[in-house]
């Protein structure tokens, strides 16, 4: 049995939970005792002693935990989680049936009814990511529910408890079943990727960009030059090359990006020697490219929300316009910029403002061609649209 406690919330906040808002925050409670430990099930009461929801206490960068149920008599137990997991898998049955793609998200936190945990599928293997100590305290119930409901080859986990989702390396990423091959080769729209489930914080591929990668390959890169900045393992470059790009250039600060990107080219029968893979601070590369008067037909820019390198601190919120201005200068007229951000701190509208400001300040002209947010497997609650953090806009530079 999980620890449970009754707790009162301020009258001003009652209605939002009745409407299905899922996130808990400090300010909603009249009094939150220091004795309450992360992972405790909170039974939320209004001023008239009516139970309006059940949630759990778990500190994340945003929030204080999540609502789990709006039914006052619903027990939070293995059956509860099992039902959520089965429903989530059922929602992804088209993904399981698609033989061209063998990696996708099967459980997206609050979008699937349990905030603070995600589950990704990699060709028979499942990866759990826990975003707070609180949700991790519920892991025995959740994992047991999963094992009862799902056939799996193996189960892995990542712990990202601290406020900013920083990875906690306790050398216990592998949990149950078989170990996955290193690398595990998965497919995304028939393009292969090498996944390392037990090699640090990230596995080698961000699944939320699937539709963007496909679009780049299918509509934009034939006979074009492609610059991929903040390239990580080169996923956009690989799709570009498969789409027939004349040449791709990938730039990332991390040394590992050379071997990882080369591997991704190789397993797709593309000779990495014919592509450019550069380890450098993107901001230095821009200076170099401007000096050399380099121009690209397509530039992908997908920075982290926040990053600190030796010389630069970058915050998407504050510095995106500046970043875009650099990118615009090395994009051909008629070329396309893929501007991307996973920052939950601003909206799609604000992101469009950034693009508009950047072009305006350079006296340029542009046209928005298309835009993307999270794909269907990254389920978002309509009561919590902030959960849809991904914003990607394809912008044609007119001048
Ligand atoms: N676009 C990638 C994901 C980017 S993850 C993809 O779709 O797969 C962010 C990457 O930015 C990391 O690989 C990190 O090493 C890199 N990075 C952070 N700051 C950087 C900088 N100043 N210059 C170059 N790369 C940077």
């Amino acid at each position: 049995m999980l620890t449970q406690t009754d707790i009162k919330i301020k009258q001003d906040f009652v209605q939002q939970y009745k409407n299905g808002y899922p996130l808990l925050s400090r300010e909603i409670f009249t009094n939150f005792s220091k004795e309450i430990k992360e992972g405790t099930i909170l039974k939320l009461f209004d001023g008239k002693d009516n139970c309006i929801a059940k949630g759990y206490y778990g500190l994340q960068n945003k929030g204080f935990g999540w609502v789990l149920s709006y039914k006052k008599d619903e027990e939070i137990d293995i059956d509860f989680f099992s039902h959520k997991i089965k429903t989530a898998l059922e929602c992804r049955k088209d993904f399981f049936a698609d033989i061209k793609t063998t990696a996708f998200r099967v459980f997206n936190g609050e979008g699937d009814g349990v905030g603070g945990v995600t589950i990704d599928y990699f060709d028979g293997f499942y990866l759990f990511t826990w975003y707070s100590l609180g949700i991790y305290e519920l892991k025995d119930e959740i994992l047991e529910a999963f094992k009862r409901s799902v056939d799996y080859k193996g189960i892995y986990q990542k712990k990202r408890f601290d406020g900013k989702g920083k990875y906690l390396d306790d050398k216990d990423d592998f949990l149950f079943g078989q170990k996955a091959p290193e690398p595990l080769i998965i497919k995304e729209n028939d393009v292969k990727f090498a996944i390392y489930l037990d090699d640090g914080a990230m596995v080698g591929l961000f699944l939320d960009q699937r539709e963007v990668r496909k679009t780049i390959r299918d509509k934009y890169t034939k006979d074009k030059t492609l610059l991929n900045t903040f390239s990580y393992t080169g996923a956009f470059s690989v799709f570009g090359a498969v789409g027939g790009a004349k040449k791709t250039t990938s730039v990332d600060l991390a040394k590992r990006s050379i071997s990882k990107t080369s591997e991704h080219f190789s397993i797709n029968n593309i000779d990495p020697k014919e592509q450019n893979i550069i380890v450098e601070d993107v901001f230095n590369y821009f200076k170099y490219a401007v000096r050399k008067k380099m121009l690209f037909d397509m530039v992908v820019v997908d920075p982290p929300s926040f990053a600190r390198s030796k010389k630069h601190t970058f915050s998407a919120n504050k510095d995106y316009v500046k970043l875009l201005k650099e990118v615009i200068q090395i994009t051909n007229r008629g070329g396309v910029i893929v501007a991307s951000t996973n920052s939950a701190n601003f909206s799609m509208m604000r992101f469009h403002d950034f693009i508009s400001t950047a072009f305006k300040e350079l006296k340029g002209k542009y046209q928005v061609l298309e835009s993307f947010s999270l794909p269907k497997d990254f389920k978002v609650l309509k009561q919590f649209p902030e959960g849809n953090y991904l914003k990607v806009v394809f912008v044609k530079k007119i001048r």
Side-chain angles (χ1 to χ4, degrees), residues 202 204-206 208-209 213 228-236 251-257 278-284 300-310 312 314 340 342:
M202 300 189 288
L205 183 66
F206 291 100
D208 52 2
Q209 297 275 14
R213 286 188 282 267
N228 181 10
T229 61
F230 306 94
S231 57
Y232 182 44
T233 64
F236 289 121
V251 183
D252 196 289
L253 198 55
K255 284 205 183 69
R256 53 149 207 253
S257 69
I278 298 170
V279 174
E280 201 180 350
D281 190 315
V282 159
F283 296 94
N284 290 340
V300 178
V301 54
D302 178 36
S305 304
F306 189 84
R308 184 172 286 143
S309 63
K310 280 194 197 111
H312 296 100
F314 174 83
S340 168
N342 58 9

Side-chain angles (χ1 to χ4, degrees), residues 169-215:
D169 190 6
D170 287 340
K171 309 274 176 236
D172 59 355
D173 284 5
F174 172 69
L175 287 175
F176 309 108
Q178 280 166 244
K179 285 201 171 181
E182 296 270 332
L184 171 66
I185 307 294
I186 63 90
K187 273 191 308 182
E188 181 185 282
N189 290 304
D190 279 334
V191 173
K192 290 177 186 159
F193 286 106
I195 302 298
Y196 294 81
L197 291 175
D198 195 2
D199 184 25
M202 300 189 288
V203 301
L205 183 66
F206 291 100
L207 298 175
D208 52 2
Q209 297 275 14
R210 180 187 317 112
E211 289 171 0
V212 179
R213 286 188 282 267
K214 183 172 189 299
T215 303

Side-chain angles (χ1 to χ4, degrees), residues 327-343:
V327 170
I328 292 166
Q329 291 180 61
I330 58 169
T331 305
N332 259 321
R333 282 191 180 198
V336 176
I337 297 164
V338 181
S340 168
T341 181
N342 58 9
S343 174

